[in-house]
Amino acid sequence: KDALTIAAVLAVIVGWAQLALPWDRWHPQTLLLLVFAADLIIGAGGYFVGGVDVNTYYLLPLYAMIFLFVGLTQPPSSSLANFFPAAVSAVYCLGGPGEPEALKAVAVGIPLWVIVGVVLAQVSLFRRRAERSIERLLEAARRLLAARDEVHGADILAELARDMLEADAVAVMMADGLESHRFTNVGQREWPTEIGGVEVDTQSDSGGIGEAVRRGETVFVSDLLASVSIPSEVRTATNARSGVFVPLPGEGGYFGVMVALWTTRRSRLEPFSGRAVELLSSQAGRALERIRAIARLAIEAQTDALTALSNRRQYREALEAIVPGDALVMIDLDHFKMVNDHHGHAAGDEVLQALGDCMRQVSRVGDCMARYGGEEFAMVLAAAGEEGALKMIERLRSLWESTARLATFSAGIAVHNGHESFDKTLENADTALYRAKHEGRNCTRVHDSGEQAEVGA
């Protein structure tokens, strides 16, 4: 009775003391200290009471509670770690090492409870992983919906995939379109900066990216050193030993592939993580496709369908943002109606497209090249001034004359002075164009420059 009283008092003291300890700041396996204390208290109490039959009936089941606790709160290895302390404690609880019946009971009971603890730990681990995966997928959906553009979305996807797969490097390879075979890395995490942009042509490359797209399923490569799944420069820079290629599905096919690499060789892709990342790729594929579609619509809303130059709406926005020193240029194809009448409207469209191509080739960063309407085009040349605008038209005319042109063009230039409205500057450029049309065509005129500058014929 004295021994049991001491054991009971110790149990109460330990129980109350553990309530005051800062478990949230310690490693979860620190809880094993309570487990070992319970082993010690039960074993010591049973040893002093004595009697195999009595302790087997009353005390031995307490070890099952200990292993249940370990299984529900600790990883599977912790039940194995508690095997020896629990076995020694149970032997003494049932009479000591010299008691054959004690050894028999422990030899049967403790291994059984270890198995129960390991199974419970595995189930708990699976449940916690499932909860974390669901949380991550919900977080992924939320963050992908908030992505600003395709690059931002791909970076978010790379970060989430690296976290889920515990990979060392991740890149998101995107195709130009559903029909394209060219894939480039749009987003990445822990991707070596010295690699830069990686381009893979799946039509000629039989690597992991092409295989994932062709098969429409995840492709895992255990030994990258013995395969050609990734370009050699990528394998060398990342020191990759294993990798996985997960296709990104869209409405009409696969337009992207997520590539995750590990620097240590893996024999297989962990099934739970594999399924989770496939669910992530399914969500991400649709989200990125939506982002791409919105971006395409935004471009189409600002672009002329025939020439791919800015449309009148976009030109108006550029016009409203001009500052003193910016030059406005109005261009009109000469006798364009004759092209349509003599060669047909298809030929006329080709002329318009050709002039648009030439304008893009001579443009600078910050310039706005637009189709103003019909056969009329316009430019906003940032900080070009009169001299810069004239040189720009010279380059354009020289390039245009090297093509199989069916028409010439006239141009009018006006430089914004800051004292007049942008509408007035536009009117001045239009007036200069009108002069060019009436003074021989195929020439350039500058508004109010003090002299007429003529370039061309």
Side-chain angles (χ1 to χ4, degrees):
K1 290 182 178 179
D2 291 339
L4 288 176
T5 301
I6 292 172
V9 170
L10 285 174
V12 171
I13 292 173
V14 171
W16 280 103
Q18 65 89 21
L19 296 176
L21 296 176
W23 300 104
D24 57 328
R25 297 203 300 268
W26 295 344
H27 192 280
Q29 287 190 293
T30 311
L31 282 172
L32 289 177
L33 294 175
L34 290 179
V35 174
F36 298 149
D39 289 335
L40 176 62
I41 293 171
I42 295 172
Y47 176 77
F48 289 108
V49 171
V52 175
D53 294 335
V54 174
N55 289 346
T56 302
Y57 183 77
Y58 287 108
L59 297 179
L60 197 57
L62 294 178
Y63 291 98
M65 298 180 64
I66 292 176
F67 279 97
L68 287 175
F69 172 78
V70 173
L72 292 172
T73 63
Q74 302 295 316
S77 60
S78 296
S79 291
L80 297 173
N82 190 46
F83 171 77
F84 182 74
V88 172
S89 171
V91 166
Y92 280 95
C93 176
L94 298 178
E99 178 60 58
E101 295 301 321
L103 296 176
K104 291 179 182 178
V106 170
V108 175
I110 297 299
L112 176 63
W113 294 327
V114 168
I115 294 174
V116 171
V118 171
V119 171
L120 277 175
Q122 290 285 9
V123 172
S124 298
L125 180 62
F126 181 85
R127 177 182 57 80
R128 288 193 294 270
R129 284 183 175 179
E131 290 175 350
R132 284 198 300 270
S133 294
I134 291 173
E135 291 175 356
R136 286 169 173 171
L137 288 172
L138 291 173
E139 174 69 9
R142 184 188 65 80
R143 294 182 62 185
L144 286 170
L145 285 173
R148 297 185 301 271
D149 50 42
E150 187 175 290
V151 174
H152 185 214
D155 280 338
I156 291 173
L157 175 58
E159 178 184 344
L160 294 168
R162 180 175 176 271
D163 181 41
M164 281 188 175
L165 294 171
E166 298 179 352
D168 296 299
V170 174
V172 177
M173 310 291 292
M174 300 285 288
D176 298 335
L178 287 175
E179 301 299 326
S180 175
H181 300 283
R182 190 172 64 91
F183 286 73
T184 54
N185 56 315
V186 177
Q188 52 268 319
R189 277 295 180 272
E190 303 303 323
W191 200 252
T193 55
E194 63 269 20
I195 299 179
V198 178
E199 184 174 312
V200 175
D201 188 345
T202 57
Q203 200 166 27
S204 58
D205 180 22
S206 59
I209 294 174
E211 189 70 15
V213 172
R214 282 190 291 272
R215 290 164 53 181
E217 61 184 31
T218 298
V219 175
F220 175 76
V221 181
S222 175
D223 187 5
L224 288 174
L225 296 179
S227 73
V228 291
S229 296
I230 59 174
S232 57
E233 64 271 18
V234 174
R235 185 174 61 243
T236 301
T238 59
N239 195 30
R241 294 295 178 267
S242 295
V244 65
F245 305 84
V246 186
L248 300 175
E251 290 296 331
Y254 297 93
F255 66 96
V257 176
M258 188 164 51
V259 182
L261 304 174
W262 293 273
T263 56
T264 55
R265 184 175 176 181
R266 297 196 170 198
S267 59
R268 66 188 182 96
L269 179 63
E270 201 276 321
F272 195 88
S273 297
R275 287 192 296 271
V277 83
E278 285 176 352
L279 285 173
L280 172 63
S281 70
S282 178
Q283 286 186 348
R286 287 165 175 77
L288 290 173
E289 188 177 45
R290 176 186 58 81
I291 292 171
R292 176 173 285 186
I294 292 174
R296 185 169 58 249
L297 288 174
I299 292 174
E300 290 175 356
Q302 298 176 343
T303 305
D304 176 66
L306 181 63
T307 63
L309 297 176
S310 297
N311 59 18
R312 189 162 181 165
R313 175 183 175 184
Q314 181 70 5
Y315 174 72
R316 187 70 182 180
E317 292 180 4
L319 189 63
E320 293 175 356
I322 62 172
V323 297
D326 291 352
L328 303 186
V329 181
M330 298 298 294
I331 296 174
D332 188 82
L333 286 165
D334 301 324
H335 303 298
F336 183 70
K337 185 176 182 300
M338 295 176 61
V339 175
N340 286 329
D341 293 342
H342 294 166
H343 302 280
H345 289 280
D349 288 346
E350 291 179 0
V351 170
L352 296 174
Q353 291 172 337
L355 183 56
D357 290 339
C358 291
M359 290 175 65
R360 276 194 300 274
Q361 291 182 52
V362 300
S363 67
R364 308 165 303 165
V365 175
D367 291 340
C368 177
M369 303 288 175
R371 184 184 178 191
Y372 196 70
E375 69 272 22
E376 197 169 13
F377 295 78
M379 299 179 180
V380 177
L381 306 179
E386 180 181 319
E387 182 179 354
L390 284 169
K391 290 181 178 179
M392 172 71 76
I393 298 301
E394 287 177 7
R395 291 196 300 272
L396 176 62
R397 196 179 299 280
S398 176
L399 182 61
W400 179 243
E401 289 176 349
S402 67
T403 67
R405 57 176 185 161
L406 293 177
T408 59
F409 70 82
S410 302
I413 299 172
V415 179
H416 186 60
N417 56 22
H419 303 299
E420 299 175 330
S421 67
F422 58 84
D423 280 327
K424 181 60 177 175
T425 306
L426 177 60
E427 181 184 334
N428 293 339
D430 204 44
T431 300
L433 173 62
Y434 181 81
R435 285 172 46 209
K437 299 287 283 185
H438 283 77
E439 294 180 9
R441 292 184 171 85
N442 194 26
C443 63
T444 303
R445 294 291 181 264
V446 179
H447 176 78
D448 197 25
S449 62
E451 61 179 349
Q452 294 183 345
E454 183 174 337
V455 181

